[in-house]
Amino acid sequence: MQKRFKVTAKKKFLHAQANKSHILTKKASKRKRHLGKKAVASPADRKALKTMLPYEM
């Protein structure tokens, strides 16, 4: 969990985006640039992520 997610101050989860590891030649520079940034996990997944944490939020 600690390697893959970061908890923000407002208790949201940040995660790395997929599709940034290989076959990058056909992807546009803008797309690759935006994929490099962190994304917020959806509110529907937040409850499941909370239960997986080894500590209380």
Side-chain angles (χ1 to χ4, degrees), residues 1-4 10 12-13 16 18-19 27 29-30 32 36 39-41 43-44 46-48 51 53-54 57:
M1 283 294 295
Q2 283 185 328
K3 286 184 183 181
R4 303 182 201 288
K10 294 195 176 200
K12 293 180 182 177
F13 291 93
N19 303 315
K27 296 172 186 162
S29 298
K30 180 179 178 181
K32 290 186 277 191
V40 179
R46 215 174 282 158
K47 185 177 179 183
T51 60
L53 277 179
M57 271 183 39

Side-chain angles (χ1 to χ4, degrees), residues 6-25:
K6 179 186 175 196
V7 183
T8 64
K10 294 195 176 200
K11 309 300 183 203
K12 293 180 182 177
F13 291 93
L14 294 177
H15 65 90
Q17 298 189 67
N19 303 315
K20 184 69 178 25
S21 59
H22 60 91
I23 315 175
L24 299 174
T25 52

Side-chain angles (χ1 to χ4, degrees), residues 26-44:
K26 62 175 79 170
K27 296 172 186 162
S29 298
K30 180 179 178 181
R31 183 175 170 195
K32 290 186 277 191
R33 191 167 57 248
H34 286 289
L35 283 173
K37 297 178 180 170
K38 300 279 184 184
V40 179
S42 70

